[in-house]
Amino acid sequence: MDKLLIDGGARLNGEITVSGAKNATLPILCASLLSAEPVQLENVPNLQDVRTMLKLLGQMGVRSEVNGNAVTLDASQVDKPVAPYELVKTMRASILVLGPLVARFGHAQVSLPGGCAIGARPVDQHIKGLTAMGAQISIEHGFIDARARRLKGAHVITDMITVTGTENLLMAAVLADGETVLENAAREPEVTDLANLLVAMGARIDGIGTDRLVVHGVPRLHGARHAVIPDRIEAGTFLCAAAATGGDVTLRGVTPLILEAVIDKLREAGAQVSAGDDWIRLRMQGRARAVSFRTSEYPAFPTDMQAQFMALNAIATGTSQVVETIFENRFMHVQELNRLGANITIDGNTALVTGVDKLSGAKVMATDLRASASLVIAALVADGQTLIDRIYHLDRGYDRMEIKLGVLGASVSRVSANAPIDLVRGAVA
């Protein structure tokens, strides 16, 4: 497993382009199962999770052609509607094949997802919705087995807001017989991006972008061309890094409107933020001010930005309170941030962050995707060198992060797992 070696202290300056959104790409790849005609995608990020999803689809018979950030998928020859545990355990988004498989082929066997470092993310709402639409579902030997000659329209009210649940049921509903109403639907931009692709494929969906989606089922979908939206979490991560280092960074290829909650908090922290239709510039002079926040569903502050803002708060002036309401175990980065000199205490789902004057480089370990990003931000401002282990988490959701940071002036290098590192001397032995 590779590691990242970061020399702290450099101010980030310059301009980079943000990649396509991981959380939009994964359901969109699964949507290719809904049609026998090719689906052509652009702005697809180069991520481990994308490669895993393409491998899973390939095992089912989906043919894919990758050319840089363009991917063409052909699901005309699907012959094995099964998602095995070996792949599902590495990426919980694999559950997103369930709805499209049942809708188009009438049968799916999908392994139950395994454990996850940031907490339980049950699939009961997926099962509840598909059952309401007429699917016969059993769970045996660790697999969800779903069957339906043809799904029927239904009125589904989920017990909670669930992004993947909304996406799965939306993909199932587009080929169902009759009208399906999804109440309490997730409003995340990634859900909207999926819906826009489905409409381009011939689906009939009303209420896109709201918490009530009305889907009029059609007999079949055709192929389409679609560009994945920019990754708002990647953008937010680089903005936090710029703010933490007192930098001046411009992001291109972004959609500022879907980052309003993050931008508001950055301004509260003292950053100067300006934006146009597809760019954002952040300038930070002096030390950030501590900002308190509470994570919640879109359009509120995203849970996927909690760890990165905590790293910013760790070196800010003042004390902040961070409340996590989405996942019950998403403070695993706190222990590693404290190893770098942060002063953070936890009480249940609340973290109290007292800003310190400086952090000190050390060896730390990433525990999940966004925790990895928080350690990178902390390392960028820490005195000396920081070695971050288990960065395969980072590769799941950030497209060549160390290269983009290098463009902005950071000293970041990827080193092999076996390379001995002397942090005191600051060199690879």
Side-chain angles (χ1 to χ4, degrees):
M1 293 183 288
D2 290 351
K3 305 175 184 181
L4 280 189
L5 184 63
I6 300 177
D7 285 285
R11 296 176 66 247
L12 298 187
N13 286 277
E15 180 177 307
I16 58 171
T17 299
V18 171
S19 299
K22 174 184 85 79
N23 290 338
T25 300
L26 298 179
I28 281 173
L29 291 174
C30 295
S32 67
L33 291 165
L34 291 165
S35 175
E37 298 180 14
V39 174
Q40 298 173 291
L41 303 175
E42 300 170 356
N43 202 33
V44 176
N46 180 17
L47 303 173
Q48 183 58 45
D49 273 10
V50 171
R51 292 187 287 274
T52 300
M53 185 63 81
L54 289 175
K55 182 178 180 180
L56 173 60
L57 294 173
Q59 288 190 0
M60 297 177 183
V62 178
R63 290 175 291 180
S64 61
E65 179 181 333
V66 180
N67 183 12
N69 295 118
V71 177
T72 299
L73 299 134
D74 182 348
S76 61
Q77 304 297 322
V78 172
D79 57 1
K80 190 179 181 182
V82 178
Y85 177 67
E86 288 70 28
L87 289 175
V88 175
K89 72 178 180 180
T90 66
M91 186 182 66
R92 294 183 61 95
S94 303
I95 192 68
L96 288 166
V97 302
L98 180 62
L101 286 175
V102 178
R104 181 171 165 218
F105 301 102
H107 180 214
Q109 278 189 313
V110 180
S111 171
L112 286 167
C116 181
I118 62 171
R121 287 183 280 183
V123 297
D124 57 321
Q125 298 304 302
H126 306 236
I127 295 173
K128 171 186 174 181
L130 288 172
T131 300
M133 296 166 69
Q136 301 296 313
I137 296 180
S138 61
I139 299 177
E140 296 179 350
H141 309 296
F143 277 85
I144 302 170
D145 187 283
R147 298 173 185 269
R149 181 167 296 180
R150 185 174 182 191
L151 294 174
K152 306 293 184 183
H155 192 170
V156 180
I157 306 175
T158 55
D159 297 333
M160 64 190 75
I161 298 175
T162 160
V163 173
T164 55
T166 299
E167 292 165 341
N168 233 342
L169 298 179
L170 178 61
M171 287 188 283
V174 294
L175 291 181
D177 185 17
E179 181 182 273
T180 299
V181 179
L182 302 179
E183 303 271 13
N184 203 27
R187 293 184 288 163
E188 270 68 7
E190 296 78 15
V191 177
T192 295
D193 201 33
L194 170 65
N196 288 335
L197 166 66
L198 295 173
V199 169
M201 295 171 68
R204 298 173 56 204
I205 306 171
D206 297 325
I208 294 175
T210 75
D211 61 0
R212 186 176 190 269
L213 297 172
V214 180
V215 185
H216 308 276
V218 296
R220 65 187 59 84
L221 296 182
H222 51 70
R225 182 187 294 271
H226 179 80
V228 177
I229 61 170
D231 196 316
R232 62 191 173 107
I233 305 303
E234 179 187 335
T237 298
F238 278 103
L239 292 174
C240 278
T245 63
D248 183 348
V249 169
T250 298
L251 305 181
R252 299 288 180 186
V254 294
T255 307
L257 285 176
I258 62 176
L259 269 167
E260 287 185 337
V262 171
I263 290 173
D264 284 349
K265 286 298 177 181
L266 286 166
R267 286 176 172 149
E268 188 179 332
Q272 301 175 46
V273 184
S274 54
D277 290 340
D278 62 352
W279 61 270
I280 301 173
R281 182 183 181 187
L282 181 143
R283 288 170 288 176
M284 176 67 90
Q285 295 181 340
R287 194 171 162 192
R289 296 190 295 268
V291 291
S292 297
F293 61 90
R294 179 187 186 92
T295 66
S296 191
E297 294 84 1
Y298 187 84
F301 192 92
T303 179
D304 279 354
M305 283 300 305
Q306 178 253 105
Q308 299 90 310
F309 257 83
M310 195 177 291
L312 177 60
N313 277 335
I315 48 88
T317 58
T319 299
S320 58
Q321 188 179 73
V322 177
V323 182
E324 173 60 54
T325 72
I326 306 298
F327 296 121
E328 74 277 9
N329 193 24
R330 204 169 198 178
F331 284 149
M332 296 182 70
H333 48 281
V334 168
Q335 180 178 349
E336 300 301 298
L337 288 173
N338 283 343
R339 278 181 51 78
L340 296 172
N343 182 1
I344 307 171
T345 57
I346 302 173
D347 182 11
N349 70 333
T350 302
L352 189 68
V353 187
T354 301
V356 297
D357 292 336
K358 66 176 184 177
L359 300 176
S360 300
K363 293 182 178 181
V364 291
M365 180 180 69
T367 53
D368 62 68
L369 171 55
R370 306 308 173 184
S372 307
S374 75
L375 296 180
V376 170
I377 293 170
L380 290 171
V381 299
D383 288 344
Q385 289 189 317
T386 299
L387 184 68
I388 305 176
D389 200 357
R390 297 178 66 182
I391 62 165
Y392 62 86
H393 288 296
L394 199 69
D395 294 336
R396 287 185 49 230
Y398 290 93
D399 188 346
R400 300 162 297 169
M401 176 182 256
E402 71 274 18
I403 294 175
K404 292 178 180 178
L405 286 172
V407 170
L408 297 176
S411 177
V412 183
S413 57
R414 182 180 290 255
V415 296
S416 66
N418 297 324
I421 308 295
D422 185 343
L423 292 185
V424 176
R425 289 185 286 113
V428 180

